[in-house]
Structures are given as C-alpha cells and as structure tokens.
Amino acid sequence: APVAVLMPAPPAPASDAAPPFAVPPLRSQRIAEPFEALRDRSDATLAATGARPRVFLANLGPIAAFSARTTFAKNFFEAGGVEAVGNDGFPDRAALVAAFRDSGCRLACLCSSDEVYADEAVETARALGAAGAVALYLAGRPGALADDLASAGVTRFVAVGSDILAVAGEAQDLAATQA
C-alpha cells in the first residue's frame, strides 16, 4: 500500500488584508518518495518480466582494488531499483567479457582503483561495448582519462555527487530493452 502523508499542510492564516504577493503552497513530499517511485517501477518490471533492471559490475584487478567502488556502485544502483550483478573479479579481460555476456545484462559499470583504470579501463570499455553493452558506467571520477573513456563508450561516471535519480531512471529505461 502506498505511504500516506500523515498531516496535510496547515491552511494559511485568515487575514482581511490582501497579501503583497501570492505564493502557491508547497506540495507535501517525503524525501524518499522519488526513490520509492524508482523501486516501484523496478517492482513492476519484475512482475511483468520476471527480472529487475540489472547492471553488471565489471570488476577490474584484485579485490583490494575494486571492492570500495564496487560497494559504492552496488548501493548507488540498487537504491534506484537497478539490481547490481556482482562477482569476485576475473583473471583477465576475456573472462570478464564472457561473464558479462553470460549475465544477460546490457548495462555494465567498471569498478576499480584509479591505478587499474589507467591500465585497463579504456580497453575493457571497448570490449564490453563490442560484447553488447548499451550503456557503460564507471564508478569514480575519470580524471585525465575522461576523453579516452568517452571515446571507448563510457557514458556516465557515478561518484559522490552524481544525480542518482537521473542515472537510475536512465538505467531502468536502457535495461527495459534487455532480452
């Protein structure tokens, strides 16, 4: 059942004097309401198709390199109703790409440290695009790699300060085309 606002806004006090300007009342809204709407949309997708919108977490390098950004990306996407498909990393790029294909996801998020990104992110992004990723995200800020990552197909960077509502909504739109 939908959550109801407990108390409506109180009416403006009555006055015989005309107000100097008119201000429409603010709409009551819970802070979590936009996130609830995204999760409700995800629930509707699950009911209709048997699966939630999903993003594959493309973990690069050793666990110590990717675990912090993987945790951030998982929480970021799942707060907006997009299931994060995790893993324990891969011995090489070919295994990562194979796992992406096997996941059935069409969205992927690169997760690792800045050092590993410098060595592997651009080529891995190209490989994931060639494997069918319709959107590629990168957990963190791109720094000097921004142009190279964009040309390799990375469409968004998810980091502290990113618009989670916009990114999760976009991800749900893109994932809706999943087979």
Side-chain angles (χ1 to χ4, degrees):
V3 178
V5 176
L6 299 177
M7 292 177 33
S15 171
D16 292 335
F21 52 89
V23 177
L26 296 175
R27 179 177 94 73
S28 292
Q29 180 180 1
R30 294 175 323 284
I31 292 174
E33 202 168 342
F35 291 95
E36 292 166 356
L38 283 171
R39 289 191 296 270
D40 288 347
R41 183 174 165 199
S42 177
D43 289 345
T45 299
L46 175 63
T49 67
R52 293 189 184 284
R54 298 180 305 141
V55 61
F56 178 81
L57 300 179
N59 296 322
L60 303 173
I63 290 175
F66 65 72
S67 64
R69 286 189 171 147
T70 296
T71 301
F72 176 85
K74 176 180 175 53
N75 291 334
F76 183 96
F77 284 104
E78 290 189 350
V82 179
E83 178 185 348
V85 177
N87 53 73
D88 292 330
F90 305 95
D92 55 41
R93 185 176 300 122
L96 182 149
V97 171
F100 168 73
R101 280 191 185 116
D102 291 346
S103 74
C105 294
R106 296 195 56 214
L107 313 177
C109 182
L110 298 166
C111 300
S112 198
S113 66
D114 291 344
E115 294 78 21
V116 173
Y117 286 158
D119 293 337
E120 299 183 38
V122 172
E123 289 306 315
T124 302
R126 285 191 181 109
L128 288 167
V134 298
L136 290 170
Y137 304 92
L138 181 131
R141 303 207 184 277
L145 294 175
D147 292 341
D148 292 338
L149 289 166
S151 69
V154 175
T155 54
R156 291 270 198 163
F157 303 99
V158 295
V160 172
S162 295
D163 185 345
I164 187 170
L165 295 171
V167 174
E170 170 190 89
Q172 286 200 34
D173 291 342
L174 293 168
T177 63
Q178 287 183 198

